[in-house]
Amino acid sequence: MYDIKVTKETFKKVEAEWRNYQQTLKEIKRLEETIINPYQETWQRDDNIGGGHANIIRDPTQATALQLAKHKQLDYLKQIVQAIDTVYEKLSDEYQALVKVRYWSNRKYTWDAIADQCFISKRQAMRWRDEIIHVTIEVLGWR
């Protein structure tokens, strides 16, 4: 059914990423804000007596853009959000309803309750979950 063999750990990790999606969006925003508006001390000591700044980027916009581009954690989080967004947008309304109940609800539901809310069987709900997670893993390029 699926092209690649997925480890149990990867499956759980991707499922956790779906669950933490809203928190990840907040973390991305926080990281970007930290890079764009870094804390700066109110005073600076000049240790560079008589020397130049040959390797220092003077343009603050360019420096900020470089920081955003090089930030590994930010890149990682953005890849996950992009993968989830890509998968979610292609899901049918029924599958999206399952995502909302299973991962984006403030409550933890049993599979029976999830199935009832989505008007499907428990087994079907679990199959849909498996499909969603496997497609997400493929989009991420994980195994």
Side-chain angles (χ1 to χ4, degrees):
M1 182 174 181
Y2 303 108
D3 293 341
I4 55 175
K5 175 74 173 143
V6 175
T7 64
K8 189 192 245 187
E9 293 80 13
T10 300
F11 190 94
K12 286 182 178 185
K13 169 72 174 150
V14 172
E15 210 175 12
E17 294 298 351
W18 275 90
R19 228 176 260 110
N20 295 326
Y21 176 79
Q22 298 300 327
Q23 203 55 35
T24 302
L25 290 175
K26 289 176 186 173
E27 181 67 8
I28 288 170
K29 191 173 182 176
R30 187 193 66 75
L31 285 170
E32 288 175 337
E33 185 64 30
T34 301
I35 292 168
I36 292 168
N37 298 312
Y39 169 77
Q40 294 180 349
E41 294 204 23
T42 55
W43 62 274
Q44 284 187 316
R45 196 172 96 202
D46 187 8
D47 291 333
N48 187 14
I49 301 171
H53 296 286
N55 293 333
I56 297 176
I57 297 172
R58 289 271 181 220
D59 179 8
T61 304
Q62 186 181 5
T64 300
L66 187 60
Q67 278 281 329
L68 286 170
K70 289 173 62 175
H71 201 286
K72 288 183 181 185
Q73 182 181 17
L74 186 60
D75 288 345
Y76 175 76
L77 295 175
K78 283 184 173 183
Q79 285 176 344
I80 291 169
V81 165
Q82 185 178 17
I84 290 172
D85 287 345
T86 299
V87 172
Y88 184 78
E89 288 168 10
K90 293 182 180 181
L91 295 175
S92 68
D93 292 344
E94 292 84 7
Y95 279 61
Q96 286 182 358
L98 177 99
V99 166
K100 289 174 186 172
V101 174
R102 170 80 174 155
Y103 301 114
W104 297 345
S105 171
N106 290 332
R107 295 186 57 199
K108 275 197 127 182
Y109 291 102
T110 64
W111 278 111
D112 289 321
I114 293 167
D116 287 346
Q117 288 193 31
C118 294
F119 306 105
I120 56 176
S121 70
K122 174 181 175 181
R123 185 66 212 131
Q124 186 65 39
M126 294 173 83
R127 269 192 228 110
W128 286 6
R129 182 263 330 251
D130 291 351
E131 289 177 44
I132 292 165
I133 300 303
H134 278 92
V135 170
T136 307
I137 290 168
E138 285 182 24
V139 170
L140 285 166
W142 293 0
R143 58 183 181 90

Coordinates of all heavy atoms in Angstrom, one line a residue, residues 50-136:
G50 N 41.3 51.1 16.1 CA 42.1 51.3 14.9 C 41.9 50.3 13.8 O 42.4 50.5 12.7
G51 N 41.1 49.3 14.0 CA 40.9 48.2 12.9 C 39.6 48.4 12.2 O 38.7 49.2 12.6
G52 N 39.5 47.8 11.1 CA 38.2 47.9 10.3 C 37.3 46.7 10.6 O 37.6 45.8 11.4
H53 N 36.2 46.6 9.9 CA 35.2 45.6 10.1 C 35.0 44.9 8.7 O 33.9 44.9 8.2 CB 33.9 46.1 10.6 CG 33.9 46.7 11.9 ND1 34.0 45.9 13.1 CD2 33.9 48.0 12.4 CE1 34.0 46.7 14.1 NE2 34.0 48.0 13.7
A54 N 36.1 44.3 8.2 CA 36.0 43.8 6.8 C 35.0 42.7 6.6 O 34.4 42.6 5.6 CB 37.4 43.3 6.4
N55 N 34.7 41.8 7.6 CA 33.8 40.7 7.4 C 32.5 40.9 8.1 O 31.7 40.0 8.1 CB 34.5 39.4 8.0 CG 35.7 39.0 7.3 OD1 35.8 39.3 6.1 ND2 36.6 38.4 8.0
I56 N 32.1 42.1 8.5 CA 30.9 42.3 9.2 C 29.9 42.9 8.2 O 30.2 43.9 7.5 CB 31.0 43.2 10.4 CG1 31.9 42.5 11.4 CG2 29.7 43.6 11.0 CD1 32.3 43.4 12.6
I57 N 28.7 42.4 8.1 CA 27.6 42.9 7.3 C 27.1 44.2 7.9 O 26.6 44.2 9.1 CB 26.5 41.9 7.1 CG1 27.0 40.7 6.4 CG2 25.3 42.5 6.3 CD1 26.0 39.5 6.3
R58 N 27.1 45.3 7.2 CA 26.7 46.6 7.8 C 25.2 46.8 7.6 O 24.6 47.5 8.4 CB 27.5 47.7 7.1 CG 28.9 47.8 7.5 CD 29.0 48.7 8.7 NE 30.4 48.7 9.1 CZ 30.8 48.7 10.3 NH1 30.0 48.6 11.3 NH2 32.1 48.8 10.6
D59 N 24.6 46.3 6.6 CA 23.2 46.5 6.3 C 22.4 45.7 7.2 O 22.4 44.4 7.1 CB 22.9 46.2 4.8 CG 21.5 46.4 4.4 OD1 20.7 46.9 5.2 OD2 21.1 46.0 3.3
P60 N 21.6 46.3 8.1 CA 20.8 45.5 9.1 C 19.7 44.6 8.4 O 19.5 43.5 8.8 CB 20.1 46.5 10.0 CG 20.5 47.8 9.5 CD 21.4 47.7 8.3
T61 N 19.2 45.1 7.3 CA 18.2 44.3 6.6 C 18.8 43.0 6.0 O 18.3 41.9 6.1 CB 17.5 45.1 5.4 OG1 17.0 46.3 6.0 CG2 16.4 44.3 4.7
Q62 N 20.0 43.2 5.4 CA 20.7 42.0 4.8 C 21.1 41.1 6.0 O 21.0 39.9 5.8 CB 21.9 42.5 4.1 CG 22.7 41.4 3.4 CD 23.9 42.0 2.6 OE1 24.3 43.1 2.7 NE2 24.6 41.1 1.9
A63 N 21.6 41.6 7.1 CA 22.0 40.8 8.2 C 20.8 39.9 8.7 O 20.9 38.8 9.0 CB 22.6 41.6 9.3
T64 N 19.6 40.6 8.8 CA 18.4 39.9 9.3 C 18.0 38.8 8.3 O 17.7 37.7 8.7 CB 17.3 40.9 9.5 OG1 17.7 41.8 10.5 CG2 16.0 40.2 10.0
A65 N 18.0 39.1 7.0 CA 17.7 38.1 6.0 C 18.6 36.9 6.1 O 18.2 35.8 5.9 CB 17.7 38.8 4.6
L66 N 19.9 37.2 6.3 CA 20.9 36.1 6.4 C 20.6 35.3 7.6 O 20.7 34.0 7.5 CB 22.3 36.7 6.4 CG 23.5 35.7 6.4 CD1 23.4 35.0 5.1 CD2 24.8 36.5 6.5
Q67 N 20.3 35.9 8.7 CA 20.0 35.2 9.9 C 18.8 34.3 9.7 O 18.8 33.1 10.1 CB 19.7 36.1 11.1 CG 20.9 36.7 11.8 CD 21.5 35.7 12.7 OE1 20.8 34.9 13.3 NE2 22.8 35.7 12.9
L68 N 17.7 34.8 9.1 CA 16.5 34.0 8.9 C 16.8 32.8 7.9 O 16.3 31.7 8.2 CB 15.4 34.9 8.2 CG 14.7 35.9 9.2 CD1 13.9 36.8 8.4 CD2 13.9 35.2 10.2
A69 N 17.6 33.0 6.9 CA 18.0 32.0 6.0 C 18.8 30.9 6.6 O 18.7 29.7 6.2 CB 18.7 32.6 4.8
K70 N 19.7 31.2 7.6 CA 20.6 30.3 8.1 C 20.1 29.6 9.4 O 20.8 28.7 9.9 CB 21.9 31.0 8.4 CG 22.7 31.3 7.2 CD 23.9 32.2 7.5 CE 24.9 31.5 8.3 NZ 26.2 32.2 8.5
H71 N 19.0 29.9 9.9 CA 18.5 29.4 11.2 C 17.9 28.0 11.0 O 16.9 27.8 10.4 CB 17.4 30.3 11.7 CG 17.3 30.2 13.2 ND1 16.6 29.1 13.7 CD2 17.6 30.9 14.3 CE1 16.6 29.2 15.1 NE2 17.2 30.3 15.4
K72 N 18.7 27.0 11.4 CA 18.3 25.6 11.2 C 17.0 25.2 11.9 O 16.2 24.5 11.3 CB 19.4 24.6 11.6 CG 20.6 24.7 10.7 CD 21.7 23.7 11.2 CE 22.9 23.8 10.2 NZ 23.9 22.8 10.5
Q73 N 16.8 25.6 13.1 CA 15.6 25.2 13.8 C 14.4 25.8 13.1 O 13.4 25.1 12.9 CB 15.6 25.6 15.3 CG 14.4 25.2 16.0 CD 14.4 25.7 17.5 OE1 15.2 26.6 17.8 NE2 13.6 25.1 18.3
L74 N 14.5 27.0 12.7 CA 13.4 27.7 12.0 C 13.1 26.9 10.7 O 11.9 26.7 10.3 CB 13.7 29.1 11.7 CG 12.7 30.0 11.1 CD1 11.4 30.1 12.0 CD2 13.2 31.4 10.9
D75 N 14.1 26.6 9.9 CA 14.0 25.8 8.7 C 13.2 24.5 8.9 O 12.3 24.1 8.2 CB 15.3 25.5 8.0 CG 16.0 26.7 7.4 OD1 15.3 27.8 7.3 OD2 17.2 26.7 7.2
Y76 N 13.7 23.8 10.0 CA 13.1 22.5 10.3 C 11.6 22.6 10.6 O 10.7 21.9 10.1 CB 13.8 21.9 11.5 CG 13.2 20.6 12.1 CD1 13.4 19.4 11.4 CD2 12.5 20.6 13.3 CE1 12.9 18.3 11.9 CE2 12.0 19.5 13.8 CZ 12.2 18.3 13.1 OH 11.6 17.1 13.6
L77 N 11.2 23.6 11.5 CA 9.8 23.8 11.8 C 9.0 24.2 10.6 O 7.9 23.8 10.5 CB 9.7 24.9 12.9 CG 10.4 24.5 14.3 CD1 10.3 25.7 15.2 CD2 9.7 23.3 14.9
K78 N 9.6 25.1 9.8 CA 8.8 25.5 8.6 C 8.6 24.3 7.6 O 7.5 24.2 7.0 CB 9.6 26.6 7.8 CG 9.5 28.0 8.5 CD 10.2 29.0 7.7 CE 9.9 30.4 8.3 NZ 10.5 31.5 7.5
Q79 N 9.6 23.4 7.5 CA 9.4 22.2 6.7 C 8.2 21.4 7.2 O 7.4 20.9 6.4 CB 10.6 21.4 6.6 CG 11.7 21.9 5.8 CD 13.0 21.1 5.9 OE1 13.2 20.2 6.8 NE2 13.9 21.3 4.9
I80 N 8.1 21.2 8.5 CA 7.1 20.4 9.1 C 5.7 21.1 8.8 O 4.8 20.4 8.4 CB 7.3 20.2 10.6 CG1 8.5 19.2 10.7 CG2 6.1 19.6 11.2 CD1 9.0 19.1 12.1
V81 N 5.6 22.4 9.1 CA 4.4 23.1 8.9 C 4.0 23.1 7.4 O 2.8 22.8 7.1 CB 4.5 24.6 9.4 CG1 3.3 25.4 8.9 CG2 4.5 24.6 10.9
Q82 N 4.9 23.2 6.5 CA 4.6 23.2 5.1 C 4.1 21.8 4.7 O 3.1 21.7 3.9 CB 5.9 23.6 4.3 CG 5.6 23.7 2.8 CD 6.8 24.1 2.0 OE1 8.0 24.0 2.5 NE2 6.6 24.5 0.8
A83 N 4.7 20.8 5.2 CA 4.2 19.4 4.9 C 2.8 19.2 5.4 O 2.0 18.7 4.7 CB 5.2 18.4 5.5
I84 N 2.6 19.6 6.6 CA 1.2 19.4 7.2 C 0.2 20.3 6.4 O -0.9 19.8 6.1 CB 1.2 19.8 8.7 CG1 2.0 18.7 9.5 CG2 -0.2 19.9 9.2 CD1 2.2 19.0 10.9
D85 N 0.6 21.5 6.1 CA -0.3 22.3 5.2 C -0.6 21.7 3.9 O -1.8 21.7 3.4 CB 0.3 23.7 5.0 CG 0.3 24.6 6.3 OD1 -0.5 24.3 7.2 OD2 1.0 25.6 6.3
T86 N 0.4 21.2 3.3 CA 0.2 20.5 1.9 C -0.7 19.4 2.0 O -1.6 19.2 1.2 CB 1.6 20.1 1.4 OG1 2.5 21.2 1.2 CG2 1.5 19.4 0.1
V87 N -0.5 18.5 3.0 CA -1.3 17.3 3.2 C -2.8 17.7 3.5 O -3.7 17.3 2.9 CB -0.8 16.3 4.2 CG1 -1.7 15.2 4.5 CG2 0.6 15.8 3.7
Y88 N -2.9 18.6 4.5 CA -4.2 19.0 5.0 C -5.1 19.6 3.8 O -6.3 19.3 3.7 CB -4.1 20.0 6.1 CG -5.4 20.4 6.7 CD1 -6.1 19.5 7.6 CD2 -6.0 21.6 6.4 CE1 -7.3 19.9 8.1 CE2 -7.3 22.0 7.0 CZ -7.9 21.1 7.8 OH -9.1 21.4 8.4
E89 N -4.5 20.5 3.0 CA -5.2 21.2 1.9 C -5.7 20.2 0.9 O -6.7 20.4 0.2 CB -4.3 22.2 1.3 CG -4.0 23.4 2.1 CD -2.9 24.3 1.6 OE1 -2.5 24.1 0.4 OE2 -2.5 25.2 2.3
K90 N -5.0 19.0 0.8 CA -5.5 18.0 -0.2 C -6.4 17.0 0.3 O -7.0 16.2 -0.4 CB -4.2 17.3 -0.8 CG -3.4 18.3 -1.6 CD -2.2 17.6 -2.3 CE -1.4 18.7 -3.1 NZ -0.3 18.1 -3.7
L91 N -6.7 17.1 1.6 CA -7.6 16.1 2.2 C -9.1 16.5 1.9 O -9.4 17.7 1.8 CB -7.4 16.1 3.8 CG -6.1 15.6 4.3 CD1 -6.1 15.8 5.8 CD2 -5.9 14.1 3.9
S92 N -9.9 15.5 1.9 CA -11.3 15.7 1.7 C -11.9 16.3 3.0 O -11.2 16.3 4.1 CB -12.0 14.4 1.4 OG -12.0 13.6 2.6
D93 N -13.1 16.8 3.0 CA -13.7 17.4 4.1 C -13.8 16.4 5.3 O -13.6 16.8 6.4 CB -15.1 18.0 3.8 CG -15.0 19.2 2.9 OD1 -13.9 19.8 2.8 OD2 -16.1 19.5 2.3
E94 N -14.1 15.2 4.9 CA -14.2 14.1 5.9 C -12.9 13.9 6.7 O -12.9 13.7 7.9 CB -14.7 12.8 5.3 CG -16.2 12.9 4.8 CD -16.3 13.5 3.4 OE1 -15.2 13.7 2.7 OE2 -17.4 13.8 2.9
Y95 N -11.8 13.8 5.9 CA -10.5 13.6 6.5 C -10.1 14.8 7.3 O -9.5 14.6 8.4 CB -9.5 13.3 5.4 CG -9.4 11.9 4.9 CD1 -10.5 11.3 4.2 CD2 -8.2 11.2 5.0 CE1 -10.4 10.0 3.7 CE2 -8.1 9.9 4.5 CZ -9.2 9.3 3.8 OH -9.1 8.0 3.3
Q96 N -10.4 16.0 6.8 CA -10.1 17.2 7.6 C -10.9 17.2 8.9 O -10.3 17.6 9.9 CB -10.4 18.4 6.8 CG -9.5 18.7 5.7 CD -9.8 20.0 4.9 OE1 -10.7 20.7 5.1 NE2 -8.9 20.3 3.9
A97 N -12.1 16.7 8.9 CA -12.8 16.6 10.2 C -12.1 15.7 11.2 O -12.1 16.0 12.4 CB -14.3 16.1 9.9
L98 N -11.6 14.6 10.6 CA -10.9 13.7 11.5 C -9.6 14.4 12.1 O -9.4 14.2 13.3 CB -10.4 12.4 10.7 CG -9.6 11.4 11.5 CD1 -10.5 10.3 12.0 CD2 -8.4 10.9 10.7
V99 N -8.9 15.1 11.3 CA -7.7 15.8 11.8 C -8.1 16.8 12.9 O -7.5 16.9 13.9 CB -7.0 16.6 10.6 CG1 -6.0 17.6 11.1 CG2 -6.4 15.6 9.7
K100 N -9.2 17.5 12.7 CA -9.6 18.5 13.7 C -10.0 17.9 15.0 O -9.6 18.4 16.1 CB -10.8 19.3 13.1 CG -10.4 20.3 12.0 CD -11.6 21.0 11.4 CE -11.2 21.8 10.2 NZ -12.4 22.3 9.5
V101 N -10.7 16.7 14.9 CA -11.1 16.0 16.2 C -9.9 15.3 16.8 O -9.7 15.5 18.0 CB -12.2 15.0 15.9 CG1 -12.5 14.2 17.1 CG2 -13.4 15.7 15.4
R102 N -9.1 14.6 16.0 CA -8.0 13.8 16.6 C -6.8 14.7 17.0 O -6.2 14.4 18.1 CB -7.5 12.8 15.5 CG -6.2 12.1 15.8 CD -6.4 11.0 16.7 NE -5.2 10.2 16.8 CZ -4.9 9.5 17.8 NH1 -5.7 9.3 18.8 NH2 -3.7 8.8 17.9
Y103 N -6.4 15.7 16.2 CA -5.2 16.4 16.5 C -5.4 17.9 17.0 O -4.5 18.4 17.7 CB -4.3 16.4 15.3 CG -3.9 15.0 14.8 CD1 -4.4 14.5 13.6 CD2 -3.2 14.2 15.7 CE1 -4.0 13.2 13.2 CE2 -2.9 12.9 15.3 CZ -3.3 12.4 14.1 OH -3.0 11.1 13.7
W104 N -6.4 18.5 16.5 CA -6.5 20.0 16.8 C -7.6 20.3 17.7 O -7.9 21.5 17.9 CB -6.6 20.7 15.4 CG -5.4 20.6 14.5 CD1 -4.2 20.1 14.9 CD2 -5.4 20.9 13.2 NE1 -3.4 20.1 13.8 CE2 -4.0 20.5 12.7 CE3 -6.3 21.4 12.2 CZ2 -3.6 20.7 11.4 CZ3 -5.8 21.5 10.9 CH2 -4.5 21.2 10.5
S105 N -8.1 19.4 18.4 CA -9.1 19.6 19.4 C -8.4 19.8 20.8 O -7.4 19.3 21.0 CB -10.1 18.4 19.5 OG -10.9 18.6 20.6
N106 N -9.1 20.6 21.6 CA -8.5 20.8 23.0 C -8.7 19.6 23.9 O -8.2 19.5 25.0 CB -9.1 22.0 23.6 CG -8.6 23.3 22.9 OD1 -7.5 23.3 22.4 ND2 -9.4 24.3 23.0
R107 N -9.5 18.6 23.4 CA -9.8 17.4 24.2 C -9.2 16.2 23.6 O -9.0 16.2 22.4 CB -11.3 17.2 24.2 CG -12.1 18.3 25.0 CD -13.5 18.0 25.1 NE -13.7 16.8 25.8 CZ -14.8 16.1 25.8 NH1 -15.9 16.5 25.1 NH2 -14.9 14.9 26.4
K108 N -8.9 15.3 24.4 CA -8.4 14.0 23.9 C -9.6 13.0 23.8 O -10.2 12.7 24.8 CB -7.3 13.4 24.8 CG -6.0 13.9 24.6 CD -4.9 13.1 25.3 CE -3.9 12.7 24.2 NZ -2.9 11.8 24.7
Y109 N -9.8 12.6 22.6 CA -11.0 11.7 22.4 C -10.5 10.2 22.2 O -9.4 10.0 21.6 CB -11.8 12.1 21.1 CG -12.5 13.4 21.3 CD1 -12.0 14.6 20.7 CD2 -13.7 13.4 22.0 CE1 -12.7 15.8 20.9 CE2 -14.4 14.6 22.1 CZ -13.9 15.8 21.5 OH -14.6 17.0 21.7
T110 N -11.3 9.3 22.6 CA -11.0 7.9 22.2 C -11.3 7.7 20.7 O -12.0 8.5 20.1 CB -11.9 6.9 23.0 OG1 -13.3 7.2 22.6 CG2 -11.8 7.2 24.5
W111 N -10.8 6.6 20.2 CA -11.1 6.3 18.8 C -12.6 6.1 18.6 O -13.1 6.5 17.5 CB -10.3 5.1 18.3 CG -8.9 5.4 18.0 CD1 -7.8 5.1 18.6 CD2 -8.5 6.2 16.9 NE1 -6.7 5.6 18.0 CE2 -7.1 6.3 16.9 CE3 -9.2 6.9 15.8 CZ2 -6.4 7.1 15.9 CZ3 -8.5 7.6 14.9 CH2 -7.1 7.7 15.0
D112 N -13.3 5.6 19.5 CA -14.8 5.4 19.4 C -15.4 6.8 19.3 O -16.3 7.0 18.5 CB -15.3 4.6 20.6 CG -15.0 3.2 20.6 OD1 -14.9 2.6 19.5 OD2 -14.7 2.6 21.6
A113 N -15.0 7.7 20.1 CA -15.6 9.1 20.1 C -15.2 9.8 18.8 O -16.1 10.5 18.2 CB -15.1 9.9 21.3
I114 N -14.0 9.6 18.3 CA -13.6 10.2 17.1 C -14.4 9.7 15.9 O -14.9 10.4 15.1 CB -12.1 10.0 16.8 CG1 -11.2 10.7 17.8 CG2 -11.7 10.4 15.4 CD1 -9.8 10.3 17.9
A115 N -14.6 8.4 15.9 CA -15.4 7.7 14.9 C -16.8 8.2 14.9 O -17.4 8.6 13.8 CB -15.4 6.2 15.0
D116 N -17.4 8.4 16.1 CA -18.8 8.9 16.2 C -18.9 10.3 15.7 O -19.8 10.6 15.0 CB -19.2 8.8 17.7 CG -19.5 7.4 18.2 OD1 -19.6 6.5 17.4 OD2 -19.6 7.3 19.4
Q117 N -17.9 11.1 16.0 CA -18.0 12.5 15.6 C -17.8 12.7 14.0 O -18.3 13.6 13.4 CB -17.0 13.4 16.3 CG -17.3 13.6 17.7 CD -16.5 14.7 18.4 OE1 -16.0 15.6 17.7 NE2 -16.2 14.5 19.7
C118 N -17.1 11.7 13.5 CA -16.9 11.7 12.0 C -17.9 10.9 11.2 O -17.8 10.8 10.0 CB -15.4 11.3 11.7 SG -14.2 12.4 12.4
F119 N -18.8 10.2 12.0 CA -19.8 9.4 11.3 C -19.2 8.2 10.5 O -19.7 7.9 9.4 CB -20.8 10.2 10.5 CG -21.4 11.3 11.2 CD1 -21.0 12.6 11.0 CD2 -22.4 11.1 12.2 CE1 -21.5 13.7 11.7 CE2 -22.9 12.2 12.9 CZ -22.5 13.5 12.7
I120 N -18.2 7.6 11.1 CA -17.5 6.4 10.5 C -17.2 5.4 11.6 O -17.4 5.7 12.7 CB -16.2 6.8 9.7 CG1 -15.2 7.5 10.7 CG2 -16.5 7.7 8.5 CD1 -13.9 7.9 10.1
S121 N -16.7 4.2 11.1 CA -16.4 3.2 12.1 C -15.0 3.5 12.7 O -14.2 4.3 12.2 CB -16.3 1.8 11.4 OG -15.2 1.8 10.6
K122 N -14.8 2.9 13.9 CA -13.5 3.1 14.6 C -12.4 2.7 13.7 O -11.3 3.3 13.5 CB -13.5 2.3 15.9 CG -12.2 2.3 16.6 CD -12.3 1.4 17.9 CE -11.0 1.3 18.6 NZ -11.1 0.4 19.8
R123 N -12.6 1.5 13.0 CA -11.5 1.0 12.1 C -11.2 1.9 10.9 O -10.1 2.1 10.6 CB -11.9 -0.4 11.6 CG -10.9 -1.1 10.8 CD -9.7 -1.5 11.7 NE -8.5 -1.4 10.8 CZ -7.4 -0.8 11.1 NH1 -7.2 -0.1 12.2 NH2 -6.4 -0.8 10.2
Q124 N -12.3 2.5 10.4 CA -12.1 3.4 9.3 C -11.4 4.7 9.7 O -10.5 5.2 9.0 CB -13.5 3.8 8.7 CG -13.4 4.7 7.4 CD -12.8 3.9 6.3 OE1 -13.0 2.8 6.0 NE2 -11.9 4.6 5.5
A125 N -11.7 5.2 10.9 CA -11.0 6.3 11.4 C -9.5 6.1 11.6 O -8.7 6.9 11.2 CB -11.6 6.7 12.8
M126 N -9.2 4.9 12.1 CA -7.8 4.5 12.2 C -7.1 4.4 10.9 O -5.9 4.7 10.7 CB -7.7 3.3 13.1 CG -8.1 3.5 14.5 SD -8.2 2.0 15.5 CE -6.5 1.9 16.0
R127 N -7.8 3.8 9.9 CA -7.2 3.7 8.5 C -7.0 5.1 7.9 O -5.9 5.3 7.3 CB -8.2 3.0 7.6 CG -7.9 1.5 7.6 CD -8.7 0.8 6.4 NE -9.4 -0.3 7.0 CZ -10.7 -0.5 7.2 NH1 -11.5 0.4 6.8 NH2 -11.2 -1.6 7.7
W128 N -7.9 6.0 8.1 CA -7.7 7.4 7.6 C -6.5 8.0 8.3 O -5.7 8.7 7.7 CB -9.0 8.2 7.9 CG -10.1 7.9 7.0 CD1 -10.2 6.9 6.0 CD2 -11.4 8.6 6.9 NE1 -11.4 6.9 5.4 CE2 -12.2 8.0 5.9 CE3 -11.9 9.7 7.6 CZ2 -13.4 8.4 5.6 CZ3 -13.2 10.1 7.3 CH2 -13.9 9.5 6.3
R129 N -6.4 7.8 9.6 CA -5.2 8.4 10.3 C -3.9 7.8 9.7 O -3.0 8.6 9.5 CB -5.4 8.0 11.8 CG -4.3 8.5 12.7 CD -3.1 7.5 13.1 NE -3.4 6.1 13.1 CZ -3.4 5.3 14.1 NH1 -3.2 5.9 15.3 NH2 -3.6 4.0 14.0
D130 N -3.9 6.5 9.5 CA -2.7 5.9 8.9 C -2.4 6.5 7.6 O -1.2 6.8 7.3 CB -2.9 4.4 8.8 CG -3.0 3.6 10.1 OD1 -2.7 4.3 11.1 OD2 -3.3 2.4 10.1
E131 N -3.4 6.7 6.7 CA -3.2 7.3 5.4 C -2.6 8.7 5.6 O -1.6 9.1 4.9 CB -4.5 7.4 4.6 CG -5.0 6.0 4.1 CD -6.3 6.2 3.4 OE1 -6.5 7.1 2.6 OE2 -7.2 5.3 3.7
I132 N -3.2 9.5 6.4 CA -2.7 10.9 6.6 C -1.3 10.9 7.1 O -0.5 11.7 6.6 CB -3.7 11.6 7.6 CG1 -5.1 11.8 7.0 CG2 -3.1 13.0 8.1 CD1 -6.1 12.2 8.1
I133 N -0.9 10.1 8.0 CA 0.4 10.1 8.6 C 1.4 9.6 7.5 O 2.5 10.2 7.3 CB 0.5 9.3 9.9 CG1 -0.4 9.9 11.0 CG2 1.9 9.2 10.4 CD1 -0.2 11.3 11.3
H134 N 1.1 8.6 6.8 CA 2.0 8.0 5.8 C 2.2 9.0 4.7 O 3.3 9.2 4.2 CB 1.4 6.7 5.2 CG 1.8 5.5 6.1 ND1 0.9 5.1 7.1 CD2 2.9 4.8 6.1 CE1 1.5 4.0 7.7 NE2 2.7 3.8 7.1
V135 N 1.2 9.7 4.2 CA 1.3 10.8 3.2 C 2.2 11.9 3.7 O 3.1 12.4 3.0 CB 0.0 11.3 2.7 CG1 0.1 12.5 1.8 CG2 -0.8 10.2 2.0
T136 N 2.0 12.3 5.0 CA 2.9 13.3 5.6 C 4.3 12.9 5.6 O 5.2 13.7 5.3 CB 2.4 13.7 7.0 OG1 1.0 14.0 6.9 CG2 3.1 14.9 7.5

